[in-house]
Amino acid sequence: MRKHLAPVATEPTAADLAAIESEWPLIAAELDVLDAEITMLYAEDHGGPSPLDWRRLRRAEARVTRAATFLSTRTDPHRAA
C-alpha cells in the first residue's frame, strides 16, 4: 500500500530563505568535502589518491570546521539565549 504525502502549498518564507543564506558557507564547505571524498573514491581505481587529493580533502574539512565555528559563535537575534 502506497502512502501519499500531502502537497505542500506554501513557498519558503523570507525568514527561511535568510536562514539558508546565512548557512550557505557551511553548506558549500560540506559540498566541497563530498566532492573531495568522491574524487578519493575514484582515485582508488587509478592507483590510489595522490598527495594533492589528500590535501584537497584536508582543506575542505578545515573549511567545514571554520564555517561551523563561525555559525556557532555569531549572534543570531532569532536564537534563544
Side-chain angles (χ1 to χ4, degrees):
M1 183 173 175
R2 185 175 177 176
K3 296 181 182 181
H4 294 281
L5 299 176
V8 177
T10 60
E11 296 292 323
T13 65
D16 294 335
L17 295 174
I20 292 169
E21 182 69 27
S22 69
E23 293 177 13
W24 189 253
L26 178 58
I27 295 167
E30 289 173 338
L31 288 172
D32 288 344
V33 168
L34 180 62
D35 189 47
E37 289 173 340
I38 291 170
T39 300
M40 300 280 281
L41 289 172
Y42 282 123
E44 289 296 325
D45 295 337
H46 299 85
S50 70
L52 186 60
D53 293 331
W54 286 107
R55 182 178 180 185
R56 182 175 176 221
L57 178 61
R58 286 192 309 270
R59 285 184 170 202
E61 290 171 338
R63 280 192 300 274
V64 168
T65 302
R66 286 191 306 271
T69 301
F70 176 76
L71 283 176
S72 69
T73 59
R74 70 186 174 108
T75 57
D76 187 358
H78 299 99
R79 237 180 178 181

